[in-house]
Amino acid sequence: MASRFELKKSKNDKFVFNLLADNGKVILTSELYESKASALNGIESVKKNAPDDGRFGRLSAKDGSPYFTLKAGNGQVIGQSQMFSGEKARDDSIESVKNNAPGAVTDDQTV
């Protein structure tokens, strides 16, 4: 199975997307968007910005769990990862986003 973006509608009628790796695991989740068009623009922004390592923020939660964010050129966060058990797992996931996002197809599950 190839990497893909899954576009879904949330319970409160907003739009959200996940980037799934080849194994089907979620590697990046978007913010909630008011419109489908905005969510699709977010997907395009992830594809455009993912190859640039400088767009990734390597962060730690209050409990010390590593995670990352992906920012657009304007500094706005366009996606966030889950929490990881260690920095290596986080960094491996960043590499996965960098490699998989640009060519990922969009699976629109809102229709």
Side-chain angles (χ1 to χ4, degrees):
M1 174 189 299
S3 299
R4 69 185 188 282
F5 288 95
E6 279 187 351
L7 177 61
K8 297 181 177 184
K9 212 167 192 184
S10 68
K11 292 177 183 171
N12 59 355
D13 279 341
K14 297 190 184 219
F15 295 86
V16 63
F17 63 82
N18 291 307
L19 174 61
L20 281 65
D22 293 345
N23 62 5
K25 184 177 177 184
V26 173
I27 53 177
L28 184 80
T29 300
S30 75
E31 64 179 346
L32 291 174
Y33 292 92
E34 295 291 332
S35 71
K36 183 175 178 177
S38 294
L40 290 170
N41 285 339
I43 289 171
E44 290 306 312
S45 186
V46 170
K47 289 180 177 186
K48 176 183 172 187
N49 290 286
D52 183 348
D53 189 69
R55 300 273 191 238
F56 289 89
R58 291 161 174 84
L59 308 164
S60 294
K62 288 180 181 177
D63 70 357
S65 299
Y67 71 101
F68 68 85
T69 58
L70 175 61
K71 293 183 179 181
N74 64 4
Q76 182 179 355
V77 173
I78 49 179
Q80 181 174 314
S81 71
Q82 64 189 19
M83 300 297 161
F84 295 97
S85 58
E87 290 181 6
K88 182 177 181 342
R90 177 198 60 204
D91 294 345
D92 287 349
S93 190
I94 289 172
E95 288 303 312
S96 182
V97 172
K98 288 163 62 175
N99 293 329
N100 291 305
V105 298
T106 300
D107 177 9
D108 185 351
Q109 299 184 358
T110 66
V111 289

